[in-house]
Amino acid sequence: MSLPEILGFGHSGRGVGVRDHQLILPSVVCSTRVSRRIAAEVGAVTFAHQHGCGIIGIDVAGIDDFFVDLASHPNVGSVLIVSLGCETIQGNELCAKIARFNPSTQYIVIQESGGVEGAVAKGILLARVLASQFKPSRQRIEELVVGIDFSRQIADPRALVDALAKQGITCISADQIHGCAKNFSTLMAQKAQVILSFTSENQPPTGFALIPVINVASASPLHNAIMGEFDLKSDATSEEIAALILKVASGAKTISEANQSGEIVAPRAVRSV
Amino acid sequence: MSAPQLLGYPRSDGRWGFRNHILLLPLHQALCNTAREIENSVFSAVAVSHDWSGEIDSDFERIAKVFAGIANNPNNFSTIFLTIGTETETKIIERSRVLGATPLHVLSLSDSGSMAHLLTSAIALASQLKEAANKESRVLAPVSAIVLGLECGGSDAYSGITANPALGLASDRLVELGATSILGETMEILGSEHLLAARALNPAVGQQIIDLVARYERSINYEGIDIRGAQPSRGNIEGGLSTLEEKSLGAAKKAGSAPFTGVLEYADHPTAPGLYFMDTPGHDIEQLTGFAAAGVNIAVFTTGRGTPTGSTVIPTIKVATNTQMGSVLADLIDLNAGTIADGSQSLEEVGSLIFDKIIEVANGRQTKAELGAHHEFNLSRLYGSTL
C-alpha cells in the first residue's frame, strides 16, 4: 500500500511544516501589545507571556531554549522578535540563537525605535519583508510527526499508534500528569507538526498557536455539554482519527485553530525575582 | 494644604473607583482568546489573559486570591467571569463575592454549549453593562478615596535622584491628606530595609518589614541563587546602577518619608489609610497585578529605560527619570522628572506636578498606557520556593 501524500511547507533545514506561520515573538511581557498590533496588521501569530524578564537560575536558559524551539518549529516560516531593550532576554542575542536554526529571523527593540508607534511601524515593515523573502515550497511530507497528548487514558493507545503507523504517521506522546497546555509545549519542542489531544474529562478542548490541535472528546458530562467544540467524538475509530490527521496536515483547520483558543505555557521552575 | 477636587465612582462598600471598567475575567486559559474578542468588540471592556488551566498546586491559593481580588478592584463597574463550569471556579467566584462590592456575572462554557454562544452572550452582557456604566457619573470624592501604587521598572542611575524622590513627595502629601499608598517590590528594598523599618509606626511593623525581606532572600537562596549577584539587571547596569543596594536605596525613595502603617502579603487589601509595604516580586506586571488585586485604583510607575506596560484595571502614570529617554520615548511617558537633573525644575516642583497628574488621571484623563491599550496581567507563581 502506498503512503498517502500530504503537502506541506518546506521550511529549509527545519523540515516540512503543515502550516506556514509567521511568529511575532515578544521577548518580554512589556512587548505584548506592540507584538499584537504587528501580528494583527500582517496576519501573523503571537502570544502573551510573562517570562523574558525578572527570571533567574535555570529559567534563564530554559526560557531562552523555549523561545528558540518555538521559532525553529517546522510550522514556522519567519520570525520577528519584539524586544523592549532592558529585559533579561535580549532581542539581539535571542535573534542570533534562533537564526542558527531559522535564518528568516529579525528583531526590533522598542527602546531603540522611538517608542511604541515607531516600533509598530518598523515591525510591520520588517515582518512584511521577512514574509516576502521567504517563500516556502509545497513539499511532500516524508514523515509526519503527530504529538499525542494523553491527558486522559484511552482504551487502546497501542492500536491507535499502530493504525497511524499504517498511514506512515510517526507518533510521539506526552503523558497524563501535566495537563494539555504543558503537554502541547513539550510536544512542540519535539517538533510535532500536528497534535492529537485526549484532554481530561473535566478539561475543555484547547489549542496551540503554532500547531493545529485535533481534540477528541470523552463521554464526560462536560464534554457532552460542549460536544461541538471537539473535532472527533468519543467513539471515533483509529481510522477516522488517521483520516482527520491527514486532512488537517494538508491544511484543513481544526476547531480550536479556528477559535484561536489556548494560551502557550512556557516551562518555569523558579519564581520571578 | 488645600485638598484637590477629586471625582470618582463611589462603590457600595465604601471604596472608590476612578475608572468604570467592564472586566472580562476568564478562569481558564482556553477562554482567554474569547475574552480578548469581547474586548475588541465592546469599547471600555478590558480582558485578562493568563496561562492557568485550573491546576490546584502549591500556587493555587496565590492565584485564587489574585483572581478574586482583581475581580473586585474598585475601578471595575462590573466583572464578567468566563468559566468552564467547575467547582474550583465556583470557589474563586464565591471568594470574590465576599471580598467586596463589584457586581459579578458568570458565563460558563458548559451552560453556553459552545464557544460561539459564550462569545455572543458575553458580548450582549458586556454591551448592556457598558450602557449602565455610561449612565453613572462621577461625584466629588475625598482624597482618602485614593489607593496609590508605587512602582518602578527599568531603573537607571537617575531613578534615585529624580523621579523616585519626586514621587515620594507626592506620596507623602497624599498620605497626609488621608489617602493610602503602597510600596512593593521586595527585592528592591533589599539593602535598605533597615531604613524603612525605622520609619514603621511601631516596632512590630518594623520587624515585619525586616522579616519579609529576610524571607524573600531565603526564597531566592532556596534556588541556589545569590540575588545580590543576579541583580541589578543588565538593563539597570547599562543605565548606570552598580549594585542591588544602590538600586534599593533609590527604589525606596518612591515611598517618601511618611511612617509605615503596615505590611501586606501579596495581593492583600489594606484596611486603613496610610503608607504600606507589600511583598511583591520586582517583575513589573506581577507587581501591578498584586496591586490590582489589593484594590489599588491608581499607580505611578517611574522608569529610566522606558516601558509601555500598564495594568488591566489600574491607570498607570509613567514618569521618566531622565529627559533624554523622556523625549525620545515620548509616546510611553506621561511626565518627565529628568528636569530635576537638568536643573530646570526643583524636586518639589516635580513632586507637585506628579501630585497634580495623579489627580488629573484619577479624574479621568487617560494615561499613555491606557491610550495605547497596554494592559497586561500576569499570575505570580512561587513554584514551591516558599519558606
Side-chain angles (χ1 to χ4, degrees):
Chain A
M1 190 179 83
S2 71
L3 295 179
E5 281 223 329
I6 313 156
L7 284 180
F9 299 89
H11 289 139
S12 45
R14 293 177 294 114
V16 178
V18 302
R19 296 291 182 269
D20 183 36
H21 288 304
Q22 182 171 50
L23 173 64
I24 311 294
L25 176 60
S27 59
V28 63
V29 60
C30 313
S31 316
T32 309
R33 174 72 183 156
V34 170
S35 299
R36 275 210 199 283
R37 283 181 58 186
I38 297 167
E41 188 66 30
V42 302
V45 167
T46 190
F47 66 103
H49 66 79
Q50 63 192 84
H51 309 293
C53 205
I55 49 176
I56 49 170
I58 60 168
D59 279 349
V60 179
I63 293 298
D64 227 23
D65 289 348
F66 183 69
F67 288 163
V68 172
D69 285 341
L70 282 170
S72 51
H73 189 275
N75 286 356
V76 173
S78 55
V79 183
L80 177 70
I81 299 162
V82 182
S83 166
L84 174 64
C86 57
E87 67 271 32
T88 309
I89 292 190
Q90 294 273 299
N92 58 341
E93 294 172 5
L94 180 61
C95 185
K97 281 176 199 158
I98 292 172
R100 283 187 295 160
F101 304 96
N102 186 348
S104 305
T105 303
Q106 292 278 1
Y107 71 97
I108 56 165
V109 180
I110 296 172
Q111 287 168 347
E112 292 167 11
S113 306
V116 169
E117 296 309 322
V120 170
K122 198 167 155 185
I124 289 169
L125 275 178
L126 269 177
R128 287 202 172 122
V129 170
L130 275 169
S132 64
Q133 277 175 350
F134 185 75
K135 294 260 185 258
S137 58
R138 293 290 269 178
Q139 289 179 13
R140 196 177 154 261
I141 298 181
E142 295 296 334
E143 195 167 86
L144 176 66
V145 179
V146 172
I148 310 183
D149 156 44
F150 283 122
S151 284
R152 71 168 192 274
Q153 277 181 315
I154 63 165
D156 195 351
R158 190 72 249 163
L160 172 67
V161 172
D162 289 346
L164 297 184
K166 267 192 208 151
Q167 303 286 337
I169 298 168
T170 305
C171 293
I172 53 173
S173 67
D175 66 11
Q176 251 184 307
I177 52 168
H178 303 292
C180 313
K182 281 182 189 160
N183 281 349
F184 293 175
S185 289
T186 307
L187 295 167
M188 177 282 296
Q190 295 174 45
K191 308 210 179 296
Q193 297 126 311
V194 174
I195 291 175
L196 179 65
S197 175
F198 294 96
T199 190
S200 313
E201 288 82 353
N202 58 0
Q203 284 284 337
T206 182
F208 191 92
L210 300 175
I211 304 173
V213 178
I214 297 169
N215 280 286
V216 187
S218 72
S220 75
L222 172 66
H223 290 184
N224 275 322
I226 52 170
M227 192 50 78
E229 298 303 320
F230 288 90
D231 300 283
L232 290 166
K233 293 201 164 78
S234 59
D235 57 2
T237 63
S238 299
E239 289 67 31
E240 284 167 337
I241 292 173
L244 185 58
I245 289 172
L246 296 178
K247 263 174 74 182
V248 167
S250 291
K253 276 199 173 183
T254 68
I255 293 171
S256 56
E257 200 177 12
N259 285 338
Q260 297 175 37
S261 68
E263 305 299 304
I264 291 180
V265 178
R268 278 288 294 270
V270 186
R271 60 165 297 172
S272 299
V273 291
Chain B
M1 191 164 8
S2 69
Q5 169 143 325
L6 190 60
L7 297 165
Y9 301 100
R11 307 302 183 199
S12 63
D13 58 356
R15 295 186 299 163
W16 289 79
F18 296 116
R19 293 295 183 267
N20 231 10
H21 297 304
I22 315 298
L23 180 69
L24 300 157
L25 186 45
L27 291 181
H28 193 290
Q29 54 86 14
L31 302 174
C32 291
N33 195 57
T34 303
R36 286 194 292 266
E37 284 182 23
I38 302 161
E39 176 185 288
N40 290 339
S41 34
V42 183
F43 185 73
S44 86
V46 287
V48 161
S49 290
H50 60 82
D51 60 4
W52 190 64
S53 297
E55 301 90 350
I56 301 180
D57 54 21
S58 60
D59 285 318
F60 174 67
E61 167 59 26
R62 194 169 168 98
I63 287 170
K65 188 179 181 184
V66 162
F67 281 137
I70 198 168
N72 257 299
N73 186 285
N75 284 345
N76 300 332
F77 170 80
S78 200
T79 294
I80 303 174
F81 283 103
L82 300 178
T83 69
I84 302 301
T86 65
E87 277 177 34
T88 309
E89 292 166 329
T90 308
K91 280 183 196 149
I92 293 172
I93 295 160
E94 282 315 309
R95 184 171 176 160
S96 192
R97 229 180 268 288
V98 297
L99 200 63
T102 304
L104 307 177
H105 305 266
V106 184
L107 293 174
S108 90
L109 176 63
S110 47
D111 288 347
S112 302
S114 73
M115 299 281 264
H117 282 139
L118 179 67
L119 179 65
T120 316
S121 46
I123 288 177
L125 175 59
S127 310
Q128 199 186 321
L129 290 169
K130 186 195 94 180
E131 276 186 32
N134 288 347
K135 284 186 189 133
E136 275 198 355
S137 45
R138 290 173 182 263
V139 298
L140 206 57
V143 178
S144 61
I146 290 179
V147 183
L148 176 70
L150 305 168
E151 152 105 45
C152 59
S155 297
D156 67 358
Y158 289 100
S159 301
I161 53 171
T162 62
N164 289 355
L167 173 55
L169 293 177
S171 169
D172 280 348
R173 192 166 146 202
L174 284 168
V175 169
E176 208 178 307
L177 289 166
T180 303
S181 181
I182 307 180
L183 178 71
E185 303 175 287
T186 312
M187 177 187 75
E188 307 208 349
I189 67 159
L190 208 154
S192 64
E193 68 269 26
H194 56 291
L195 300 173
L196 300 187
R199 280 165 49 194
L201 211 55
N202 59 55
V205 169
Q207 192 57 46
Q208 281 177 310
I209 293 175
I210 302 282
D211 291 348
L212 267 191
V213 173
R215 184 180 73 181
Y216 174 82
E217 199 167 11
R218 279 201 307 276
S219 83
I220 300 291
N221 280 340
Y222 170 87
E223 306 291 347
I225 293 151
D226 173 13
I227 186 64
R228 291 172 202 250
Q231 278 281 331
S233 71
R234 294 170 56 168
N236 295 146
I237 293 167
E238 279 163 28
L241 288 171
S242 58
T243 63
L244 179 56
E245 288 79 358
E246 184 189 2
K247 180 173 169 176
S248 293
L249 287 168
K253 294 215 168 126
K254 299 194 296 294
S257 56
F260 277 92
T261 300
V263 164
L264 302 167
E265 290 288 353
Y266 185 71
D268 268 357
H269 285 225
T271 47
L275 176 65
Y276 289 82
F277 178 75
M278 183 190 285
D279 179 31
T280 76
H283 186 288
D284 298 332
I285 303 305
E286 291 185 28
Q287 181 196 9
L288 277 176
T289 299
F291 279 175
V296 166
N297 51 20
I298 188 157
V300 179
F301 185 141
T302 66
T303 177
R305 310 298 307 276
T307 171
T309 48
S311 156
T312 321
V313 297
I314 312 169
T316 304
I317 300 163
K318 294 280 165 46
V319 180
T321 69
N322 66 85
T323 301
Q324 207 242 337
M325 184 279 286
S327 43
V328 173
L329 303 181
D331 67 4
L332 318 179
I333 300 299
D334 296 287
L335 202 145
N336 175 29
T339 50
I340 298 166
D342 302 340
S344 59
Q345 281 180 312
S346 70
L347 198 58
E348 290 70 24
E349 281 172 308
V350 176
S352 182
L353 288 175
I354 295 176
F355 181 91
D356 293 345
K357 181 63 87 177
I358 292 170
I359 304 300
E360 188 187 321
V361 168
N363 287 347
R365 167 69 70 100
Q366 297 265 296
T367 63
K368 292 283 172 68
E370 284 176 294
L371 289 169
H374 300 273
H375 54 67
E376 280 71 41
F377 172 92
N378 284 163
L379 290 172
S380 169
R381 294 179 173 92
L382 299 177
Y383 302 100
S385 60
T386 45
L387 286 168

